């Protein structure tokens, strides 16, 4: 079934202990859609500038990604540059140039307006809201990402969109900030009152935790010898998670758990190389092999 | 089969966001032996002062704990006081009074010298070494804990004892310090060269990770709404882990995984109340129920 993503398409400058790239294709919607396209058809809505070439566009070709919603604007594409330490949480932003993204107003092609699944990547809640308003009917599942900047800066609009969100995917610090609760179980209960039925807490190297009315489910971080570039891990996770769900018949607890595993699989591949280098060359059988590896990592018999 | 623990028996003063106690029974060997006694018979070696009363001793009574190796010395029992923040990693030591522990030299009763399993809690590596020298023959399994103070302060003696250790149980910061490697998989490979065949990395609220030649196994932290007192979590984990192994016929991968789960179960109970309050009133059926809860937390089918 159809999956719509709305978010940034960007160029990134990246420095990590394992190397440096001056300019590579990135952005939440890019990571998300490439990851999700292994599982389902993706409709992408975003904006790029006139520096976005045919060669850049190649990332989407030969995949189940419809880029008729990728707007071309006059000006430069969103650019972000950052530096990571050995601990991927030590991130310093060096440059943020919004460029054409500053005036981005998502416009959905008519064919996208009945998408059954939507992922609203981390953008202004006002814009996230405008996407839902363009839908013909309530989607089967709305997933949402946000960040401290919007939690503190646009709380009223964020509440509006949270009321229409099914699955909220944020990190532990954002969970605590949004709920004003240190304990993550209490924080989840608070967040359920705001709308979402499911909270996924992304914990980087510590994995991901899903909390809903059925209880708690934990997936560890995949043990890797080298995390070359943490950029895009969360959006690749979201792509694997939402992509798997969009292709699944039910949204049962067993299906949500599998989606958590496929999300973790895609996040773990994303960080193995710079930018999209690892994920763009990925084969489906590698994805399934790593999912089995996750089972080996966690399973036991009492 | 027999399990020997050598380590501290202490009084603790504890302050956490959930309350304060001026003086409660604690110490690594106390937490360890009470946790392990649910699974096997424990031989305890440690030292207390003349302020250690019959009432204090009650914690060991009615359990499978032999305290004939608990030396009574003239002076006061080891006292530690500390304060924790909402994040249990934010720990401030307020007082450390070694008292009779300062001159502690472990002396094993003759009956303990053929213990099949040994846990050397976090004490000076020189003393840990002296315990192994008192054994009649090589035990089936030697487990060891240590800390930054000894890694930096007594590295030569630590290397000696590591060469005779089977299972090393330390936290992530200690793993990095000991191996001089940030990445935990590379760190594990480095540590295997020093002696241990199995490394267990204790990660607090993020759970525990076991690395050995068979691969990696992860157990998440148990989701609790309130962590009243993190003291003793690691030693209770070690007690559950070693206690389960001491009662198991083989040391297969499946058995080690179950031991990791029972260790995590005991650690999770330890932090629910101050000091030993929760664990001292625990029933075996509660332990088994929580182990099943760990299965529910982690299991999925692809």
């Amino acid at each position: 079934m159809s999956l719509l993503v709305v978010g940034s398409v960007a160029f990134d400058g990246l420095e990590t202990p394992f190397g440096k790239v001056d300019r590579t294709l990135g952005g939440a919607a890019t990571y998300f859609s490439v990851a999700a396209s292994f599982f389902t058809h993706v409709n992408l809505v975003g904006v790029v500038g006139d520096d976005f070439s045919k060669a850049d566009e190649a990332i989407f070709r030969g995949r189940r990604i419809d880029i008729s919603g990728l707007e071309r604007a006059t000006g430069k594409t969103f650019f972000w540059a950052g530096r990571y330490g050995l601990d991927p949480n030590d991130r310093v932003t060096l440059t943020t140039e919004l460029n054409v993204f500053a005036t981005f107003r998502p416009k959905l092609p008519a064919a996208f307006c009945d998408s059954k699944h939507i992922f609203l990547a981390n953008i202004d809640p006002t814009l996230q809201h405008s996407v839902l308003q363009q839908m013909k009917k309530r989607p089967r599942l709305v997933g949402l990402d946000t960040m401290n900047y919007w939690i503190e800066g646009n709380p009223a609009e964020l509440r509006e969109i949270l009321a229409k969100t099914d699955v909220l995917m944020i990190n532990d610090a954002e969970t605590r900030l949004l709920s004003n609760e240190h304990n993550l179980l209490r924080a989840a209960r608070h967040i359920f009152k705001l709308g979402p039925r499911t909270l996924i807490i992304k914990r980087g190297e510590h994995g991901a935790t899903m909390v809903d009315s059925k209880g708690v489910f934990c997936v560890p971080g995949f043990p890797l010898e080298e995390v070359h570039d943490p950029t895009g891990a969360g959006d690749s996770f979201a792509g694997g998670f939402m992509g798997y769900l969009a292709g699944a018949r039910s949204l049962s607890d067993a299906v949500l758990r599998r989606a958590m595993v496929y999300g973790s699989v895609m996040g773990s591949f994303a960080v193995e190389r710079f930018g999209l280098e690892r994920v763009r060359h990925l084969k489906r059988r590698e994805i399934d092999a790593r999912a089995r590896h996750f089972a080996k990592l966690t399973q036991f018999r009492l």
Side-chain angles (χ1 to χ4, degrees), chain A:
Chain A
M1 283 184 278
S2 53
L3 172 58
L4 168 67
V5 57
V6 181
S8 61
V9 176
F11 291 115
D12 292 335
L14 304 164
E15 257 184 84
T16 86
F18 296 93
K20 187 172 183 301
V21 291
D22 290 334
R23 184 178 181 271
T24 188
L25 185 58
T30 313
Y31 281 104
F32 180 95
S33 58
V34 173
S37 69
F38 288 94
F39 304 92
T40 195
H41 179 93
V42 184
N43 298 325
L44 185 155
V45 169
V47 64
V48 291
D50 37 32
D51 55 348
F52 191 85
S53 69
K54 281 280 166 199
D56 296 319
E57 211 181 281
I59 187 77
F60 302 115
R61 275 201 295 271
R63 303 180 194 278
R64 292 180 280 174
I65 303 175
D66 183 338
I67 57 167
S68 59
L70 184 60
E71 188 189 332
R72 316 295 168 126
T74 304
K76 286 175 114 181
T77 301
F78 182 13
F79 179 76
W80 176 84
R83 187 195 296 136
Y84 297 88
L86 267 178
D87 178 348
N89 300 315
D90 295 341
R91 187 173 82 167
V92 181
T93 291
L94 303 172
T95 316
T96 304
E97 296 168 7
L98 290 175
N99 300 325
V100 297
F101 201 69
T103 52
F104 175 50
R105 298 290 172 272
K107 283 176 287 292
L108 272 54
F112 290 9
C113 293
D114 57 0
S115 298
K116 290 273 182 293
H117 308 83
I118 302 189
F119 182 68
L120 300 165
N122 172 27
I123 54 173
D124 188 331
T126 309
L127 301 187
Q128 291 177 321
H129 207 172
S130 80
V131 172
L132 285 197
Q133 284 162 339
Q134 294 173 61
M135 301 306 294
K136 279 190 210 143
K137 52 183 176 182
R138 176 106 186 43
R140 185 185 184 219
L141 199 82
V142 176
L144 187 99
D145 185 14
T146 191
M147 72 187 294
N148 52 355
Y149 185 80
W150 309 118
I151 295 170
E152 297 180 313
N154 197 352
E157 277 286 344
L158 181 60
R159 287 205 167 224
E160 293 264 346
I161 187 75
L162 280 173
K164 294 169 182 170
T165 295
D166 299 296
V167 182
L168 178 64
M169 291 180 236
I170 51 181
N171 69 27
D172 6 15
E174 290 154 359
T175 301
R176 287 174 173 138
L177 185 65
L178 176 60
S179 62
N180 203 20
E181 267 286 356
H182 183 85
N183 180 276
L184 296 176
L185 284 185
R186 288 163 182 261
R189 276 218 307 272
H190 179 93
I191 287 170
F192 296 153
K193 286 186 198 146
L194 303 177
R197 285 174 292 128
T198 303
L199 171 66
I200 293 174
I201 306 167
K202 298 177 287 184
R203 311 175 98 168
E205 63 162 330
H206 299 299
T209 299
M210 175 171 72
V211 191
D212 63 16
S213 63
K214 305 267 175 49
V216 180
F217 175 59
C218 300
V219 182
F222 191 76
L224 289 168
E225 291 218 6
E226 293 182 350
V227 173
H228 278 211
D229 170 20
T231 314
D235 296 304
S236 302
F237 173 95
F241 179 86
M242 294 288 298
Y244 182 79
L245 287 186
R249 267 188 221 173
S250 86
L251 298 175
S252 68
D253 186 49
V255 167
L256 285 163
R257 285 173 180 241
R258 270 199 291 279
M260 281 282 288
V261 172
Y262 282 107
S264 304
V265 165
M266 299 313 294
S268 75
F269 280 122
V271 304
E272 279 189 37
R273 298 278 178 281
F274 275 81
L276 285 143
E277 272 318 299
R278 181 72 177 99
V279 176
R280 76 185 303 164
H281 296 116
L282 208 53
K283 303 279 175 255
R284 178 60 201 241
R285 64 178 148 67
E286 294 176 285
I287 293 172
D288 293 325
R290 184 155 292 180
R292 289 191 297 274
H293 204 143
F294 267 94
K296 196 162 171 274
L297 257 184
T298 56
Q299 302 208 345
F300 60 87
R301 291 180 64 176
L302 290 175

